[in-house]
Amino acid sequence: MADGICVFAENYNGNIEPVVAELVSAAHVIKEMTGEKIQAVVAASDCENLVRQLNGSGVDEIYAVKTDRDCMFQDDALSQVIAEMIKKINPSSVLVPATTIGRSVFSRVAARLGCGLTADCTELLVDKREDGSFYIKQNKPSFGENVFVTIVTKEGFYPQMMTVRPGVYTPYEAAADGKAKVEYLDDIVLPESGIEVVGVRPASSDTDSILSAEVVVVGGRGAESEENFALLEKFADKLEAAIGGTRPLADTGMIPFEHQIGQTGFTIRPRICISLGVSGAIQHTEGIKDTKLFVAINEDENAPIFNVSDYGIIGDMKEVLQSYLEL
Ligand SMILES: Cc1cc2nc3c(=O)[nH]c(=O)nc-3n(C[C@H](O)[C@H](O)[C@H](O)COP(=O)(O)OP(=O)(O)OC[C@H]3O[C@@H](n4cnc5c(N)ncnc54)[C@H](O)[C@@H]3O)c2cc1C
């Protein structure tokens, strides 16, 4: 019988990616209901190092395959290894980061296993069927991010497999003395790959910068003019803050999608967040609700953003920022 909540331990350059700790949090939410063990799967040439990092991260079991060569970006070969691992472990659910690597590897894993894959979940809820079995409600934005849908894997089909959007869950803080059972699956071998990696160039705009920023300045439609946005950038520069925005700013390309905050964007948890010209629609404020200190500047005293801010300044953002920058 399928049993266990399996987390894909995505790694890069010898490090487990921080997003894995978020998936471990999501797995613990599921475990509270189902009582299943949390498993991590990892396959890499420097596997021992990655297993060390995973041990004590809040997982109960680690399954590892040591590959005979570096297989980063050889998703055709890596997906075969992971699919074989999942067949062997037989978990009831598999949680994968909705990252470029997670998406690419697990669409192939799903095809190999003949199972479904719900992409880009922003909420996972557990429910119980009449026969006592548990299932995961996989909630995600859909249809051009205009509606929210709940996807449920058909009864009796396992694993329930899903990618989870980074930033949605708070990283799991494991007890320092936590130990996992480790098993190396030596009979699984990395096949030849049709992909040759000729070079690696980092992306120019990464989501990490905004997810890990201590201070974030968020612009809304009120900051959309060239003049206002230039002021916002100067302000952010002075505060050494990352820049985020509402969906209209991402739609017009003023900020990259990776910096859109909200239900269909990313969730941030900075120490300080300052929003400029943002009305405060629920779809946006969902993405900032865990901010420690939240300041809003809006010229409309009735703007809903003031209902969720700790401090509010009623005024034209241009005048407020110009005064601040002159100090
Ligand atoms: C399914 C769905 C998912 C969505 N997901 C997201 C999401 O992830 N993120 C997101 O942000 N939105 C999302 N939206 C859109 C959301 O509902 C709002 O439309 C959007 O957040 C509004 O953006 P805004 O506050 O920038 O613009 P507006 O609502 O137009 O507000 C602009 C504000 O700026 C103020 N203002 C104007 N000029 C100035 C000035 N000079 N100085 C000070 N204040 C000024 C105005 O008073 C106003 O309050 C989603 C919508 C749907 C239907």
mmCIF file of all heavy atoms in Angstrom, residues 145-148 219-222 228 245-249 260-265 276-281 283-284 297-300 303 315-318, ligand 1:
data_model
loop_
_atom_site.group_PDB
_atom_site.id
_atom_site.type_symbol
_atom_site.label_atom_id
_atom_site.label_comp_id
_atom_site.label_asym_id
_atom_site.label_seq_id
_atom_site.Cartn_x
_atom_site.Cartn_y
_atom_site.Cartn_z
ATOM 1 N N GLU A 145 -4.196 32.422 -14.278
ATOM 2 C CA GLU A 145 -4.134 32.936 -12.908
ATOM 3 C C GLU A 145 -5.409 33.681 -12.527
ATOM 4 O O GLU A 145 -5.397 34.510 -11.628
ATOM 5 C CB GLU A 145 -2.914 33.845 -12.709
ATOM 6 C CG GLU A 145 -1.636 33.318 -13.306
ATOM 7 C CD GLU A 145 -0.684 32.723 -12.289
ATOM 8 O OE1 GLU A 145 -0.358 33.409 -11.344
ATOM 9 O OE2 GLU A 145 -0.313 31.556 -12.455
ATOM 10 N N ASN A 146 -6.518 33.422 -13.196
ATOM 11 C CA ASN A 146 -7.739 34.172 -12.916
ATOM 12 C C ASN A 146 -8.705 33.461 -11.975
ATOM 13 O O ASN A 146 -9.628 34.085 -11.461
ATOM 14 C CB ASN A 146 -8.462 34.510 -14.217
ATOM 15 C CG ASN A 146 -7.755 35.655 -14.915
ATOM 16 O OD1 ASN A 146 -7.468 36.664 -14.288
ATOM 17 N ND2 ASN A 146 -7.425 35.475 -16.173
ATOM 18 N N VAL A 147 -8.542 32.174 -11.780
ATOM 19 C CA VAL A 147 -9.407 31.461 -10.824
ATOM 20 C C VAL A 147 -8.543 30.527 -9.977
ATOM 21 O O VAL A 147 -7.415 30.206 -10.351
ATOM 22 C CB VAL A 147 -10.484 30.593 -11.540
ATOM 23 C CG1 VAL A 147 -11.497 31.446 -12.254
ATOM 24 C CG2 VAL A 147 -9.841 29.600 -12.483
ATOM 25 N N PHE A 148 -9.095 30.130 -8.824
ATOM 26 C CA PHE A 148 -8.418 29.128 -8.004
ATOM 27 C C PHE A 148 -9.133 27.803 -8.153
ATOM 28 O O PHE A 148 -10.366 27.769 -8.108
ATOM 29 C CB PHE A 148 -8.409 29.556 -6.536
ATOM 30 C CG PHE A 148 -7.232 30.422 -6.248
ATOM 31 C CD1 PHE A 148 -7.335 31.782 -6.396
ATOM 32 C CD2 PHE A 148 -6.018 29.870 -5.896
ATOM 33 C CE1 PHE A 148 -6.243 32.587 -6.191
ATOM 34 C CE2 PHE A 148 -4.920 30.669 -5.695
ATOM 35 C CZ PHE A 148 -5.033 32.028 -5.836
ATOM 36 N N GLY A 219 5.614 48.212 -5.090
ATOM 37 C CA GLY A 219 4.926 49.239 -5.870
ATOM 38 C C GLY A 219 3.618 48.726 -6.437
ATOM 39 O O GLY A 219 3.524 47.573 -6.858
ATOM 40 N N GLY A 220 2.607 49.581 -6.429
ATOM 41 C CA GLY A 220 1.332 49.249 -7.053
ATOM 42 C C GLY A 220 1.076 50.190 -8.216
ATOM 43 O O GLY A 220 1.986 50.920 -8.655
ATOM 44 N N ARG A 221 -0.163 50.173 -8.695
ATOM 45 C CA ARG A 221 -0.496 50.994 -9.865
ATOM 46 C C ARG A 221 -0.231 52.479 -9.603
ATOM 47 O O ARG A 221 0.028 53.237 -10.532
ATOM 48 C CB ARG A 221 -1.947 50.757 -10.258
ATOM 49 C CG ARG A 221 -2.143 50.932 -11.730
ATOM 50 C CD ARG A 221 -3.546 50.628 -12.138
ATOM 51 N NE ARG A 221 -3.785 49.202 -12.228
ATOM 52 C CZ ARG A 221 -4.961 48.677 -12.547
ATOM 53 N NH1 ARG A 221 -5.987 49.429 -12.785
ATOM 54 N NH2 ARG A 221 -5.115 47.378 -12.614
ATOM 55 N N GLY A 222 -0.283 52.895 -8.353
ATOM 56 C CA GLY A 222 0.033 54.281 -8.011
ATOM 57 C C GLY A 222 1.496 54.623 -8.266
ATOM 58 O O GLY A 222 1.869 55.804 -8.289
ATOM 59 N N ASN A 228 7.260 58.121 -10.945
ATOM 60 C CA ASN A 228 7.030 57.516 -9.632
ATOM 61 C C ASN A 228 7.864 56.257 -9.429
ATOM 62 O O ASN A 228 8.383 56.007 -8.340
ATOM 63 C CB ASN A 228 5.536 57.189 -9.447
ATOM 64 C CG ASN A 228 4.745 58.421 -9.062
ATOM 65 O OD1 ASN A 228 5.306 59.512 -8.968
ATOM 66 N ND2 ASN A 228 3.442 58.265 -8.857
ATOM 67 N N GLY A 245 6.134 44.002 -6.479
ATOM 68 C CA GLY A 245 5.038 44.779 -7.046
ATOM 69 C C GLY A 245 3.740 44.005 -7.068
ATOM 70 O O GLY A 245 3.698 42.805 -6.788
ATOM 71 N N THR A 246 2.681 44.717 -7.413
ATOM 72 C CA THR A 246 1.377 44.073 -7.560
ATOM 73 C C THR A 246 1.284 43.501 -8.969
ATOM 74 O O THR A 246 2.134 43.761 -9.827
ATOM 75 C CB THR A 246 0.237 45.079 -7.329
ATOM 76 O OG1 THR A 246 0.375 46.133 -8.280
ATOM 77 C CG2 THR A 246 0.247 45.633 -5.922
ATOM 78 N N ARG A 247 0.213 42.775 -9.193
ATOM 79 C CA ARG A 247 0.050 42.111 -10.493
ATOM 80 C C ARG A 247 0.017 43.085 -11.669
ATOM 81 O O ARG A 247 0.633 42.800 -12.705
ATOM 82 C CB ARG A 247 -1.206 41.254 -10.455
ATOM 83 C CG ARG A 247 -1.455 40.524 -11.713
ATOM 84 C CD ARG A 247 -2.282 39.316 -11.417
ATOM 85 N NE ARG A 247 -3.125 39.014 -12.540
ATOM 86 C CZ ARG A 247 -4.043 38.079 -12.542
ATOM 87 N NH1 ARG A 247 -4.257 37.391 -11.455
ATOM 88 N NH2 ARG A 247 -4.756 37.827 -13.596
ATOM 89 N N PRO A 248 -0.669 44.245 -11.546
ATOM 90 C CA PRO A 248 -0.650 45.154 -12.715
ATOM 91 C C PRO A 248 0.770 45.544 -13.121
ATOM 92 O O PRO A 248 1.053 45.687 -14.325
ATOM 93 C CB PRO A 248 -1.438 46.374 -12.219
ATOM 94 C CG PRO A 248 -2.356 45.834 -11.173
ATOM 95 C CD PRO A 248 -1.595 44.731 -10.504
ATOM 96 N N LEU A 249 1.669 45.681 -12.168
ATOM 97 C CA LEU A 249 3.049 46.040 -12.527
ATOM 98 C C LEU A 249 3.775 44.892 -13.211
ATOM 99 O O LEU A 249 4.617 45.108 -14.092
ATOM 100 C CB LEU A 249 3.826 46.519 -11.284
ATOM 101 C CG LEU A 249 3.828 48.045 -11.132
ATOM 102 C CD1 LEU A 249 2.442 48.558 -10.836
ATOM 103 C CD2 LEU A 249 4.795 48.489 -10.072
ATOM 104 N N GLN A 260 6.375 39.476 -8.429
ATOM 105 C CA GLN A 260 4.962 39.781 -8.144
ATOM 106 C C GLN A 260 4.578 39.150 -6.806
ATOM 107 O O GLN A 260 4.830 37.979 -6.550
ATOM 108 C CB GLN A 260 4.053 39.208 -9.232
ATOM 109 C CG GLN A 260 2.575 39.452 -8.926
ATOM 110 C CD GLN A 260 1.647 38.738 -9.897
ATOM 111 O OE1 GLN A 260 1.867 38.789 -11.100
ATOM 112 N NE2 GLN A 260 0.631 38.072 -9.382
ATOM 113 N N ILE A 261 3.957 39.966 -5.951
ATOM 114 C CA ILE A 261 3.576 39.492 -4.622
ATOM 115 C C ILE A 261 2.076 39.215 -4.610
ATOM 116 O O ILE A 261 1.280 40.024 -5.081
ATOM 117 C CB ILE A 261 3.875 40.575 -3.548
ATOM 118 C CG1 ILE A 261 5.288 41.159 -3.716
ATOM 119 C CG2 ILE A 261 3.659 40.024 -2.153
ATOM 120 C CD1 ILE A 261 6.393 40.187 -3.597
ATOM 121 N N GLY A 262 1.705 38.079 -4.027
ATOM 122 C CA GLY A 262 0.273 37.796 -3.888
ATOM 123 C C GLY A 262 -0.056 36.344 -4.166
ATOM 124 O O GLY A 262 0.830 35.517 -4.364
ATOM 125 N N GLN A 263 -1.363 36.078 -4.202
ATOM 126 C CA GLN A 263 -1.852 34.713 -4.351
ATOM 127 C C GLN A 263 -1.309 34.024 -5.577
ATOM 128 O O GLN A 263 -1.000 32.841 -5.549
ATOM 129 C CB GLN A 263 -3.384 34.746 -4.460
ATOM 130 C CG GLN A 263 -4.061 34.516 -3.150
ATOM 131 C CD GLN A 263 -5.566 34.617 -3.286
ATOM 132 O OE1 GLN A 263 -6.116 34.883 -4.359
ATOM 133 N NE2 GLN A 263 -6.245 34.406 -2.184
ATOM 134 N N THR A 264 -1.251 34.753 -6.689
ATOM 135 C CA THR A 264 -0.743 34.134 -7.910
ATOM 136 C C THR A 264 0.693 34.561 -8.193
ATOM 137 O O THR A 264 1.236 34.274 -9.255
ATOM 138 C CB THR A 264 -1.647 34.482 -9.113
ATOM 139 O OG1 THR A 264 -1.850 35.897 -9.128
ATOM 140 C CG2 THR A 264 -2.981 33.806 -8.996
ATOM 141 N N GLY A 265 1.289 35.240 -7.224
ATOM 142 C CA GLY A 265 2.702 35.593 -7.317
ATOM 143 C C GLY A 265 3.433 34.875 -6.198
ATOM 144 O O GLY A 265 3.230 33.687 -6.002
ATOM 145 N N LEU A 276 3.686 51.192 -1.796
ATOM 146 C CA LEU A 276 3.472 52.526 -2.358
ATOM 147 C C LEU A 276 2.437 52.446 -3.470
ATOM 148 O O LEU A 276 2.648 51.740 -4.462
ATOM 149 C CB LEU A 276 4.795 53.047 -2.950
ATOM 150 C CG LEU A 276 5.986 53.059 -1.996
ATOM 151 C CD1 LEU A 276 7.285 53.101 -2.756
ATOM 152 C CD2 LEU A 276 5.895 54.238 -1.058
ATOM 153 N N GLY A 277 1.309 53.108 -3.279
ATOM 154 C CA GLY A 277 0.285 53.129 -4.323
ATOM 155 C C GLY A 277 -0.322 51.769 -4.584
ATOM 156 O O GLY A 277 -0.558 51.400 -5.723
ATOM 157 N N VAL A 278 -0.555 51.022 -3.508
ATOM 158 C CA VAL A 278 -1.180 49.697 -3.605
ATOM 159 C C VAL A 278 -2.537 49.778 -2.919
ATOM 160 O O VAL A 278 -2.632 50.251 -1.784
ATOM 161 C CB VAL A 278 -0.307 48.627 -2.901
ATOM 162 C CG1 VAL A 278 -1.015 47.282 -2.851
ATOM 163 C CG2 VAL A 278 1.057 48.510 -3.566
ATOM 164 N N SER A 279 -3.607 49.303 -3.598
ATOM 165 C CA SER A 279 -4.944 49.462 -3.011
ATOM 166 C C SER A 279 -5.201 48.498 -1.860
ATOM 167 O O SER A 279 -5.917 48.811 -0.915
ATOM 168 C CB SER A 279 -6.016 49.280 -4.085
ATOM 169 O OG SER A 279 -5.904 48.002 -4.671
ATOM 170 N N GLY A 280 -4.631 47.266 -1.938
ATOM 171 C CA GLY A 280 -4.822 46.310 -0.845
ATOM 172 C C GLY A 280 -5.841 45.233 -1.155
ATOM 173 O O GLY A 280 -6.530 44.753 -0.245
ATOM 174 N N ALA A 281 -5.916 44.812 -2.418
ATOM 175 C CA ALA A 281 -6.813 43.696 -2.778
ATOM 176 C C ALA A 281 -6.332 42.449 -2.053
ATOM 177 O O ALA A 281 -5.120 42.242 -1.898
ATOM 178 C CB ALA A 281 -6.772 43.478 -4.295
ATOM 179 N N GLN A 283 -6.126 39.458 -2.963
ATOM 180 C CA GLN A 283 -5.219 38.595 -3.742
ATOM 181 C C GLN A 283 -3.773 39.071 -3.609
ATOM 182 O O GLN A 283 -2.849 38.296 -3.768
ATOM 183 C CB GLN A 283 -5.603 38.586 -5.227
ATOM 184 C CG GLN A 283 -6.934 37.955 -5.525
ATOM 185 C CD GLN A 283 -8.076 38.954 -5.500
ATOM 186 O OE1 GLN A 283 -7.875 40.117 -5.134
ATOM 187 N NE2 GLN A 283 -9.261 38.522 -5.878
ATOM 188 N N HIS A 284 -3.599 40.366 -3.307
ATOM 189 C CA HIS A 284 -2.239 40.870 -3.105
ATOM 190 C C HIS A 284 -1.803 40.706 -1.651
ATOM 191 O O HIS A 284 -0.706 40.197 -1.371
ATOM 192 C CB HIS A 284 -2.143 42.347 -3.507
ATOM 193 C CG HIS A 284 -0.828 42.956 -3.144
ATOM 194 N ND1 HIS A 284 0.331 42.653 -3.812
ATOM 195 C CD2 HIS A 284 -0.480 43.803 -2.143
ATOM 196 C CE1 HIS A 284 1.342 43.302 -3.252
ATOM 197 N NE2 HIS A 284 0.874 44.001 -2.236
ATOM 198 N N ILE A 297 1.655 53.510 1.993
ATOM 199 C CA ILE A 297 1.485 54.905 1.569
ATOM 200 C C ILE A 297 0.476 54.902 0.421
ATOM 201 O O ILE A 297 0.687 54.222 -0.598
ATOM 202 C CB ILE A 297 2.825 55.510 1.101
ATOM 203 C CG1 ILE A 297 3.868 55.414 2.225
ATOM 204 C CG2 ILE A 297 2.628 56.967 0.665
ATOM 205 C CD1 ILE A 297 5.277 55.788 1.817
ATOM 206 N N ASN A 298 -0.618 55.626 0.630
ATOM 207 C CA ASN A 298 -1.667 55.664 -0.394
ATOM 208 C C ASN A 298 -2.398 57.000 -0.260
ATOM 209 O O ASN A 298 -2.611 57.483 0.850
ATOM 210 C CB ASN A 298 -2.645 54.494 -0.193
ATOM 211 C CG ASN A 298 -3.555 54.292 -1.405
ATOM 212 O OD1 ASN A 298 -4.245 55.213 -1.833
ATOM 213 N ND2 ASN A 298 -3.544 53.085 -1.934
ATOM 214 N N GLU A 299 -2.785 57.587 -1.401
ATOM 215 C CA GLU A 299 -3.436 58.903 -1.334
ATOM 216 C C GLU A 299 -4.917 58.808 -0.963
ATOM 217 O O GLU A 299 -5.547 59.811 -0.646
ATOM 218 C CB GLU A 299 -3.258 59.659 -2.647
ATOM 219 C CG GLU A 299 -3.909 58.982 -3.838
ATOM 220 C CD GLU A 299 -3.622 59.706 -5.152
ATOM 221 O OE1 GLU A 299 -2.854 60.679 -5.151
ATOM 222 O OE2 GLU A 299 -4.176 59.272 -6.178
ATOM 223 N N ASP A 300 -5.450 57.573 -1.002
ATOM 224 C CA ASP A 300 -6.870 57.388 -0.703
ATOM 225 C C ASP A 300 -7.022 56.890 0.743
ATOM 226 O O ASP A 300 -6.630 55.766 1.057
ATOM 227 C CB ASP A 300 -7.445 56.359 -1.695
ATOM 228 C CG ASP A 300 -8.889 56.001 -1.374
ATOM 229 O OD1 ASP A 300 -9.473 56.621 -0.464
ATOM 230 O OD2 ASP A 300 -9.418 55.082 -2.038
ATOM 231 N N ALA A 303 -8.462 53.432 1.292
ATOM 232 C CA ALA A 303 -7.871 52.261 0.620
ATOM 233 C C ALA A 303 -7.784 51.099 1.612
ATOM 234 O O ALA A 303 -7.331 51.268 2.749
ATOM 235 C CB ALA A 303 -6.489 52.616 0.084
ATOM 236 N N GLY A 315 -1.251 60.072 1.502
ATOM 237 C CA GLY A 315 -0.616 61.131 0.716
ATOM 238 C C GLY A 315 -0.144 60.624 -0.619
ATOM 239 O O GLY A 315 -0.143 59.408 -0.890
ATOM 240 N N ASP A 316 0.270 61.570 -1.450
ATOM 241 C CA ASP A 316 0.807 61.253 -2.773
ATOM 242 C C ASP A 316 2.205 60.647 -2.571
ATOM 243 O O ASP A 316 3.071 61.271 -1.947
ATOM 244 C CB ASP A 316 0.876 62.560 -3.576
ATOM 245 C CG ASP A 316 1.435 62.352 -4.970
ATOM 246 O OD1 ASP A 316 1.824 61.216 -5.296
ATOM 247 O OD2 ASP A 316 1.486 63.340 -5.719
ATOM 248 N N MET A 317 2.422 59.453 -3.099
ATOM 249 C CA MET A 317 3.713 58.778 -2.884
ATOM 250 C C MET A 317 4.884 59.611 -3.408
ATOM 251 O O MET A 317 5.979 59.593 -2.835
ATOM 252 C CB MET A 317 3.740 57.384 -3.516
ATOM 253 C CG MET A 317 3.596 57.355 -5.015
ATOM 254 S SD MET A 317 4.237 55.838 -5.743
ATOM 255 C CE MET A 317 6.002 56.161 -5.796
ATOM 256 N N LYS A 318 4.621 60.387 -4.470
ATOM 257 C CA LYS A 318 5.690 61.212 -5.057
ATOM 258 C C LYS A 318 6.165 62.242 -4.032
ATOM 259 O O LYS A 318 7.370 62.378 -3.780
ATOM 260 C CB LYS A 318 5.130 61.900 -6.303
ATOM 261 C CG LYS A 318 6.122 62.692 -7.074
ATOM 262 C CD LYS A 318 5.507 63.129 -8.371
ATOM 263 C CE LYS A 318 6.090 64.449 -8.800
ATOM 264 N NZ LYS A 318 5.341 65.036 -9.896
HETATM 265 C C1 LIG B 1 -7.531 35.212 -9.354
HETATM 266 C C2 LIG B 1 -6.797 36.500 -9.146
HETATM 267 C C3 LIG B 1 -5.496 36.454 -8.704
HETATM 268 C C4 LIG B 1 -4.791 37.647 -8.463
HETATM 269 N N1 LIG B 1 -3.504 37.572 -7.995
HETATM 270 C C5 LIG B 1 -2.860 38.716 -7.680
HETATM 271 C C6 LIG B 1 -1.550 38.673 -7.119
HETATM 272 O O1 LIG B 1 -0.930 37.626 -6.948
HETATM 273 N N2 LIG B 1 -0.964 39.841 -6.796
HETATM 274 C C7 LIG B 1 -1.574 41.064 -6.976
HETATM 275 O O2 LIG B 1 -0.986 42.091 -6.634
HETATM 276 N N3 LIG B 1 -2.802 41.110 -7.530
HETATM 277 C C8 LIG B 1 -3.454 39.991 -7.879
HETATM 278 N N4 LIG B 1 -4.690 40.072 -8.447
HETATM 279 C C9 LIG B 1 -5.211 41.407 -8.795
HETATM 280 C C10 LIG B 1 -5.839 42.102 -7.593
HETATM 281 O O3 LIG B 1 -7.180 41.700 -7.437
HETATM 282 C C11 LIG B 1 -5.796 43.638 -7.761
HETATM 283 O O4 LIG B 1 -6.428 43.970 -8.971
HETATM 284 C C12 LIG B 1 -4.378 44.203 -7.768
HETATM 285 O O5 LIG B 1 -3.655 43.742 -6.644
HETATM 286 C C13 LIG B 1 -4.450 45.727 -7.728
HETATM 287 O O6 LIG B 1 -3.176 46.255 -7.867
HETATM 288 P P1 LIG B 1 -2.829 47.709 -7.376
HETATM 289 O O7 LIG B 1 -3.119 47.824 -5.914
HETATM 290 O O8 LIG B 1 -1.452 47.991 -7.852
HETATM 291 O O9 LIG B 1 -3.792 48.630 -8.261
HETATM 292 P P2 LIG B 1 -5.105 49.406 -7.903
HETATM 293 O O10 LIG B 1 -6.105 48.530 -7.283
HETATM 294 O O11 LIG B 1 -5.489 50.148 -9.128
HETATM 295 O O12 LIG B 1 -4.668 50.448 -6.779
HETATM 296 C C14 LIG B 1 -3.825 51.542 -6.996
HETATM 297 C C15 LIG B 1 -3.794 52.324 -5.686
HETATM 298 O O13 LIG B 1 -2.820 53.321 -5.793
HETATM 299 C C16 LIG B 1 -3.301 54.491 -5.152
HETATM 300 N N5 LIG B 1 -2.595 55.614 -5.769
HETATM 301 C C17 LIG B 1 -2.685 56.065 -7.046
HETATM 302 N N6 LIG B 1 -1.827 57.069 -7.262
HETATM 303 C C18 LIG B 1 -1.173 57.266 -6.087
HETATM 304 C C19 LIG B 1 -0.153 58.149 -5.671
HETATM 305 N N7 LIG B 1 0.396 59.029 -6.532
HETATM 306 N N8 LIG B 1 0.283 58.079 -4.407
HETATM 307 C C20 LIG B 1 -0.261 57.202 -3.528
HETATM 308 N N9 LIG B 1 -1.215 56.327 -3.864
HETATM 309 C C21 LIG B 1 -1.669 56.348 -5.129
HETATM 310 C C22 LIG B 1 -4.789 54.488 -5.391
HETATM 311 O O14 LIG B 1 -5.457 55.230 -4.386
HETATM 312 C C23 LIG B 1 -5.107 53.005 -5.327
HETATM 313 O O15 LIG B 1 -5.506 52.607 -4.018
HETATM 314 C C24 LIG B 1 -5.405 38.897 -8.693
HETATM 315 C C25 LIG B 1 -6.731 38.937 -9.153
HETATM 316 C C26 LIG B 1 -7.426 37.754 -9.384
HETATM 317 C C27 LIG B 1 -8.827 37.825 -9.883
#
